Amino acid sequence: MTTKKIVLLDGNSLAYRAFFALPLLTNDNGIHTNAVYGFTMMLQNILADEKPTHILVAWDAGKTTFRHSTYGEYKGGRQKTPPELSEQFPYLRKLLEAYQIPQYELDQYEADDIIGTLSKTGDADQAEVVVISGDKDLTQLASGHTTVYITRKGMTDIEKYTPDHVREKYGIEPHQIIDMKGLMGDASDNIPGVPGVGEKTALKLLKEYGSVENVYKSIDAITAKKLKENLTDNEEQAYMSKVLATIEVNAPIKVTIDDLSYEGPDLDKVISIYQELKFKTLLEKIAPQAAEEPQEEIELTIASTLSEADLTDEMAIHLEMIEEHYLTADILGISVADDSHTLFIPLPVALDSDVFKNWLKNPAKKKYSSDSKATMVSLAQRGLEADGFEFDFLLASYIVNPSSTFTDVASIAREFGYGDVQSDEVIYGKGAKKSVPVEAIVAETASRKAQAVWKLRPLIEEKLKENNLYDLYHELELPLAKILSKMESTGVKTDLKTLEAIGVDLTAKLLELEAAIYESAGDKFNINSPKQLGVILFEKIGLTPIKKTKTGYSTAADVLEKLENEHEIISLILTYRQLGKLNSTYIEGLSKEIHDDGKIHTRFQQALTTTGRLSSINPNLQNIPVRLEEGRKIRAAFVPSEPGWYLFAADYSQIELRVLAHMSQDAKMIEAFRAGVDIHTQTAMDVFGVDKESVTSDMRRAAKAVNFGIVYGISDYGLSQNLNITRKEAAKFIDTYLNSFPGVKQYMVDIVADAKQTGYVTTLMNRRRYLPDITSSNFNLRGFAERTAMNTPIQGSAADIIKKAMIDMAARLEVEGLQTRMLLQVHDELIFEAPEDEIEKLKVIVPEVMESAIALDVPLKVDWAFGLSWYETK
């Protein structure tokens, strides 16, 4: 006989949780969908994890319940349901119908009472019952057969209440939760309780007397004068509060456990509602074909030879590759399209055609690419030169909306209302037409993407012009793509022997540290095991635990850093971890990324970050650690690719603070930069109220933390963690800083106000970042959006400036006729390789070009260095 598994869900509570956990989302019809989407994700996890045999979602029937006859102000303090959530309840019910999950509500009763009554029945039948809600009132239902899951933060953080957990957390039995609420009240439900009695006092009384009733039977034994007075004056209110907090377990419901039997969803109905709500990601998981819009027939020709008539003066071009890593991926074919025809060119035909090669490299032939950088790099790998790119589908769509996470043609096309492109999963994966020849599938897929680029270009370019983004796109990002393609194709020479030697040295240091850790602990254990490490630190050595996880003591870096002064072993462990990561991630990782030409060819992601910064992958060369000397030494492996050449590095000094000075127009900050004063010293002087000679290294360090913290929207909590001070001290520090730089303070106020008015912020070059949560009623979402409003214009402007410098620098190198090559961009730094006889020239022109990339009210400053490795340029 199969044991019943009954899952009872508090519909209203979970809907609210989902609504506030996700930003507002709307479908094409303007209907808000975030609560439905979040609820769906929770529901899928519940069904997968719990595998219920019986299930029910209980709803509140209305605002008035039988409890209001006891206390008219019950739940009186609750805010009105946001209209953006109210409009989603019908869709939530429709979703549950599609999943064939029973729903129930009862006039004059709450969802809690329905759940309480059914859990009692299931408990009596010795079935396994799981109650899921965000309301801790339901913890009173925990029993030997009933576990109550309470959602805490977001949608996945759940605390499970069994009788043992209730005892461990509160020191009382589950049935005493109602006594606790009777004494302390519950502000969320407007249950008054006894004034002056909080949770701590309520629990103390219950541990001594057991119940509200027994508290009053023993009132004379209570010696605390004020407590006794409050209890005596509010006796009736305490009893009433207990009644209000008590879940009814004998509600007159018309549904039985047998009615809750669950057989699974009606997939057709689920697909239908996913389509209606435009849940494309969810659709693709359960029915890839259903996620796609109906497609029109496509006319295309598969070329066996090419004539000049096939390739016109303006065409869209798309390379269909087997994977996204275009530096190494095989090209399956090339499609070109315009209004008159669509042509698929197999790679061997392209490689063998002078007509195609000449058209490809001719800058007068305008090419509208799905991804110009990937196209140029991939073709360059096969000896084909490409030029004349006038449109980049990926870049243009990214600039229109940098918050979009879509990077494939099909998804981007759908974003702009063009549904005639299927996802690669449908074409090549699940649901693929196995009877169709592979070349025909590839040809159709590639050609639909080329057509999408051709047809959507006018629409996207119009959006760019409407939003004053066209110059950013056409004058900055599109030319930069060409420069980055050359950098990726060039690569940077990496000395494997140097990497291996650093690895040997690191391994020796790790062995020394391991021995020192064992000696300090007085025992051998697996240092990489958090569980074993926790036992050593908090049980054997006896350090005070700061945080616990589900599996034991937390030994995360932030926890250990707070204990660093408690015992010598902590510093050893932190260093061990850092060196271990260096060895595995960078020594071993970088060694695997060296190509046959002895170089690492990183990929620069130009259409990823919301601030406009470039990022680097396969491998990430922007993230090599520099705090530890051992990390800095890794840069010694990056060397010039030619004998007699050097690496030359130039980086902007404090560019973000200079941008802040310009944007905030803070007189004191502007003057400091114009006078060449060290800004961190100046800040320390202002914040600590001392003269220059009295500024200590600790003062400057603190000033530097708050300077850069302001740029990144730091909070008092974040600064307190950075400086190891209290939040109160950090808050005072920030206030003093803002009072010292009133222009910065006003900038922060004004930029948030502007963002609330327009819904977005801009950089100095008009790059936009939309902030849909800037007016959210959710404090956390709104707070994050406000901090983003403050820092994005600064970070984004700094990113735009170095991009402009790269374009100007490439042009200057060409004008000067130099052999120097630009290799890498790492945040605010540019790295070149150059023959020795060009170094003196670079010392002049690199700072000159970079410092004149944009005119600010403060000077830009560039520091440079050169050497036989990247390490030597520091």
Side-chain angles (χ1 to χ4, degrees):
M1 179 178 176
T2 305
T3 304
K4 289 179 182 176
K5 175 78 171 282
I6 305 167
V7 174
L8 305 171
L9 289 82
D10 183 344
N12 294 78
S13 174
L14 297 180
Y16 269 83
R17 176 69 68 187
F19 178 77
F20 287 110
L22 295 176
L24 285 176
L25 307 170
T26 56
N27 66 6
D28 295 347
N29 298 320
I31 297 167
H32 289 92
T33 58
N34 59 321
V36 188
Y37 189 85
F39 193 98
T40 303
M41 299 300 290
M42 283 194 281
L43 187 62
Q44 288 184 340
N45 289 336
I46 290 164
L47 294 175
D49 295 343
E50 304 302 328
K51 299 179 175 57
T53 61
H54 297 70
I55 190 169
L56 175 91
V57 173
W59 297 104
D60 293 336
K63 291 183 178 179
T64 305
T65 72
F66 71 90
R67 292 177 176 85
H68 286 85
S69 61
T70 302
Y71 182 53
E73 296 302 310
Y74 176 66
K75 293 195 174 181
R78 291 208 169 177
Q79 292 185 352
K80 185 179 179 182
T81 303
E84 297 89 346
L85 172 57
S86 296
E87 71 184 44
Q88 298 184 60
F89 278 110
Y91 292 96
L92 286 167
R93 293 176 182 268
K94 192 172 179 180
L95 172 80
L96 292 167
E97 288 172 7
Y99 270 88
Q100 301 192 103
I101 292 174
Q103 308 174 64
Y104 191 75
E105 62 187 68
L106 182 64
D107 192 37
Q108 293 294 308
Y109 288 83
E110 297 178 63
D112 295 8
D113 303 312
I114 298 167
I115 290 171
T117 302
L118 288 168
S119 70
K120 179 187 176 185
T121 304
D123 202 58
D125 289 345
Q126 296 190 351
E128 183 181 355
V129 181
V130 172
V131 173
I132 304 178
S133 174
D135 186 350
K136 288 186 179 179
D137 283 355
L138 281 96
T139 55
Q140 65 188 264
L141 301 176
S143 71
H145 296 286
T146 299
T147 304
V148 182
Y149 293 6
I150 300 297
T151 57
R152 296 191 292 192
K153 294 179 182 177
M155 297 180 297
T156 57
D157 187 5
I158 289 176
E159 188 170 6
K160 298 182 180 181
Y161 285 82
T162 60
D164 283 344
H165 185 65
V166 174
R167 291 183 200 110
E168 181 182 346
K169 184 163 186 168
Y170 297 117
I172 59 175
E173 296 297 321
H175 68 82
Q176 292 175 289
I177 293 289
I178 58 177
D179 294 281
M180 181 175 75
K181 292 293 178 77
L183 292 168
M184 66 179 280
D186 187 341
S188 65
D189 288 339
N190 205 32
I191 297 175
V194 176
V197 175
E199 182 179 298
K200 186 176 179 181
T201 302
L203 290 174
K204 184 178 179 182
L205 289 169
L206 291 176
K207 288 170 187 175
E208 190 164 353
Y209 301 110
S211 67
V212 171
E213 291 79 5
N214 286 342
V215 167
Y216 282 101
K217 285 179 184 177
S218 308
I219 194 74
D220 291 338
I222 295 174
T223 56
K225 185 178 178 181
K226 187 61 177 176
L227 174 59
K228 185 175 183 178
E229 181 182 323
N230 285 338
L231 286 167
T232 303
D233 291 347
N234 295 280
E235 181 174 358
E236 185 177 336
Q237 192 163 285
Y239 283 122
M240 179 192 71
S241 297
K242 178 175 178 178
V243 169
L244 292 174
T246 302
I247 292 174
E248 177 59 69
V249 294
N250 292 298
I253 61 175
K254 303 296 184 186
V255 66
T256 68
I257 296 295
D258 290 340
D259 296 328
L260 312 186
S261 180
Y262 183 63
E263 301 297 332
D266 181 328
L267 275 181
D268 289 339
K269 288 184 178 179
V270 171
I271 289 170
S272 176
I273 192 168
Y274 282 3
Q275 287 175 323
E276 181 180 358
L277 296 174
K278 305 297 182 183
F279 289 169
K280 295 185 176 71
T281 304
L282 295 176
L283 260 176
E284 287 172 354
K285 288 181 179 178
I286 63 169
Q289 293 95 328
E292 310 300 329
E293 303 290 336
Q295 292 183 303
E296 296 178 4
E297 289 295 319
I298 181 173
E299 290 186 13
L300 67 95
T301 302
I302 298 178
S304 55
T305 59
L306 289 168
S307 68
E308 290 187 1
D310 292 323
L311 302 167
T312 60
D313 290 345
E314 292 183 61
M315 297 195 88
I317 179 171
H318 171 73
L319 264 65
E320 186 70 6
M321 286 178 266
I322 203 163
E323 57 167 318
E324 67 173 355
H325 193 348
Y326 51 80
L327 276 159
T328 56
D330 290 335
I331 298 175
L332 299 175
I334 304 164
S335 269
V336 292
D338 58 16
D339 280 333
S340 62
H341 69 295
T342 301
L343 191 67
F344 177 75
I345 309 167
L347 185 62
V349 174
L351 293 173
D352 197 43
S353 171
D354 288 336
V355 169
F356 179 74
K357 292 175 184 176
N358 291 333
W359 174 84
L360 191 65
K361 68 183 179 182
N362 187 344
K365 304 292 184 181
K366 294 182 180 179
K367 301 164 189 76
Y368 309 140
S369 174
S370 55
D371 183 342
S372 62
K373 178 162 67 72
T375 300
M376 286 185 277
V377 173
S378 189
L379 291 173
Q381 302 288 311
R382 288 144 182 97
L384 298 179
E385 181 186 346
D387 203 351
F389 290 94
E390 292 290 317
F391 178 75
D392 187 307
F393 187 66
L394 174 64
L395 274 181
S397 63
Y398 160 71
I399 292 167
V400 168
N401 182 13
S403 297
S404 174
T405 57
F406 297 125
T407 56
D408 63 292
V409 175
S411 297
I412 295 170
R414 285 197 295 268
E415 283 279 287
F416 288 97
Y418 185 88
D420 209 28
V421 185
Q422 284 185 326
S423 70
D424 292 346
E425 177 66 21
V426 175
I427 299 296
Y428 304 123
K430 296 174 183 175
K433 300 173 183 177
K434 302 300 182 185
S435 60
V436 179
V438 171
E439 186 177 66
I441 293 173
V442 172
E444 180 178 346
T445 304
S447 297
R448 286 190 185 277
K449 291 174 183 176
Q451 285 185 344
V453 173
W454 177 261
K455 292 177 180 178
L456 286 173
R457 180 188 64 83
L459 170 66
I460 296 175
E461 286 192 337
E462 187 58 36
K463 284 186 178 293
L464 289 168
K465 290 172 183 175
E466 283 175 10
N467 294 330
N468 198 24
L469 293 167
Y470 189 77
D471 287 347
L472 174 74
Y473 158 71
H474 206 264
E475 304 301 323
L476 190 75
E477 295 290 3
L478 197 56
L480 182 67
K482 184 175 182 179
I483 292 167
L484 292 174
S485 74
K486 289 182 178 178
M487 291 165 63
E488 291 179 359
S489 295
T490 300
V492 55
K493 179 77 172 178
T494 312
D495 189 335
L496 180 59
K497 288 183 178 179
T498 300
L499 275 180
E500 289 173 342
I502 296 169
V504 169
D505 186 45
L506 280 175
T507 300
K509 288 183 178 177
L510 284 167
L511 289 172
E512 289 175 12
L513 281 167
E514 187 179 83
I517 290 168
Y518 291 158
E519 183 178 351
S520 182
D523 198 357
K524 285 190 175 183
F525 62 100
N526 182 353
I527 302 169
N528 296 312
S529 166
K531 191 170 183 178
Q532 291 185 36
L533 179 59
V535 171
I536 291 290
L537 296 181
F538 304 114
E539 293 182 11
K540 182 167 184 183
I541 295 177
L543 298 178
T544 303
I546 292 176
K547 190 191 299 183
K548 281 195 171 185
T549 67
K550 292 177 181 178
T551 56
Y553 304 103
S554 172
T555 59
D558 62 329
V559 171
L560 295 188
E561 284 166 4
K562 291 173 184 174
L563 296 170
E564 198 161 1
N565 295 327
E566 302 289 322
H567 198 280
E568 62 177 9
I569 196 172
I570 302 296
S571 294
L572 295 170
I573 290 167
L574 288 171
T575 306
Y576 180 88
R577 284 182 175 178
Q578 289 174 311
L579 297 188
K581 183 177 181 181
L582 285 177
N583 200 31
S584 60
T585 303
Y586 297 101
I587 303 302
E588 296 172 10
L590 290 175
S591 299
K592 295 173 184 175
E593 296 286 351
I594 300 174
H595 290 224
D596 291 341
D597 60 0
K599 295 181 177 182
I600 283 178
H601 297 263
T602 188
R603 283 193 293 148
F604 292 100
Q605 292 182 297
Q606 195 179 352
L608 179 70
T609 68
T610 50
T611 59
R613 274 194 175 277
L614 294 175
S615 65
S616 162
I617 57 169
N618 302 122
N620 182 353
L621 294 184
Q622 295 185 332
N623 211 29
I624 296 174
V626 293
R627 288 187 179 180
L628 286 178
E629 175 63 15
E630 288 84 359
R632 288 192 291 274
K633 281 184 178 177
I634 291 172
R635 296 185 173 202
F638 295 92
V639 296
S641 63
E642 314 232 13
W645 283 43
Y646 288 84
L647 291 188
F648 186 98
D651 70 292
Y652 283 111
S653 170
Q654 300 168 341
I655 186 171
E656 290 177 336
L657 293 175
R658 293 170 190 270
V659 170
L660 175 60
H662 173 84
M663 296 188 82
S664 69
Q665 286 295 294
D666 185 273
K668 189 180 293 184
M669 193 174 280
I670 288 174
E671 178 56 32
F673 278 122
R674 286 178 175 175
V677 175
D678 177 70
I679 192 64
H680 303 314
T681 300
Q682 179 67 55
T683 301
M685 290 163 60
D686 292 327
V687 171
F688 291 105
V690 298
D691 57 24
K692 183 177 179 180
E693 288 69 30
S694 300
V695 173
T696 66
S697 59
D698 283 344
M699 286 179 180
R700 187 182 183 279
R701 183 176 67 87
K704 184 176 182 180
V706 76
N707 268 330
F708 286 111
I710 292 295
V711 171
Y712 286 90
I714 201 166
S715 64
D716 55 2
Y717 173 77
L719 186 61
S720 73
Q721 296 296 297
N722 285 352
L723 298 179
N724 197 25
I725 58 178
T726 67
R727 289 185 70 171
K728 188 175 181 179
E729 290 171 325
K732 184 179 179 181
F733 204 152
I734 291 173
D735 287 342
T736 305
Y737 173 91
L738 293 175
N739 290 331
S740 299
F741 296 100
V744 174
K745 185 176 184 178
Q746 192 60 47
Y747 159 80
M748 295 170 77
V749 172
D750 291 345
I751 199 74
V752 170
D754 290 346
K756 287 181 177 178
Q757 188 73 29
T758 62
Y760 61 85
V761 290
T762 61
T763 68
L764 292 173
M765 295 186 186
N766 289 323
R767 185 185 303 277
R768 283 191 185 186
R769 182 172 182 179
Y770 291 95
L771 300 167
D773 294 327
I774 195 73
T775 55
S776 172
S777 59
N778 183 299
F779 174 81
N780 290 329
L781 293 177
R782 187 176 68 254
F784 178 78
E786 289 175 352
R787 291 192 296 276
T788 301
M790 295 173 200
N791 65 56
T792 292
I794 302 165
Q795 293 180 53
S797 294
D800 289 344
I801 291 168
I802 196 165
K803 286 179 175 180
K804 174 70 162 47
M806 292 171 74
I807 294 168
D808 294 348
M809 197 65 236
R812 184 67 177 270
L813 291 174
E814 190 171 341
V815 168
E816 298 282 350
L818 300 179
Q819 298 180 67
T820 297
R821 304 174 189 129
M822 203 181 314
L823 299 180
L824 295 173
Q825 187 255 50
V826 180
H827 304 309
D828 304 327
E829 179 182 20
L830 294 180
I831 298 156
F832 308 83
E833 63 176 3
E836 184 176 6
D837 60 6
E838 292 182 5
I839 293 296
E840 290 303 313
K841 187 81 171 177
L842 292 183
K843 290 178 184 179
V844 176
I845 67 169
V846 173
E848 182 181 302
V849 169
M850 291 178 70
E851 290 175 356
S852 61
I854 190 174
L856 299 180
D857 290 332
V858 296
L860 289 173
K861 184 176 184 298
V862 171
D863 298 317
W864 55 263
F866 67 96
L868 292 174
S869 71
W870 188 7
Y871 177 75
E872 290 186 12
T873 65
K874 287 296 177 187

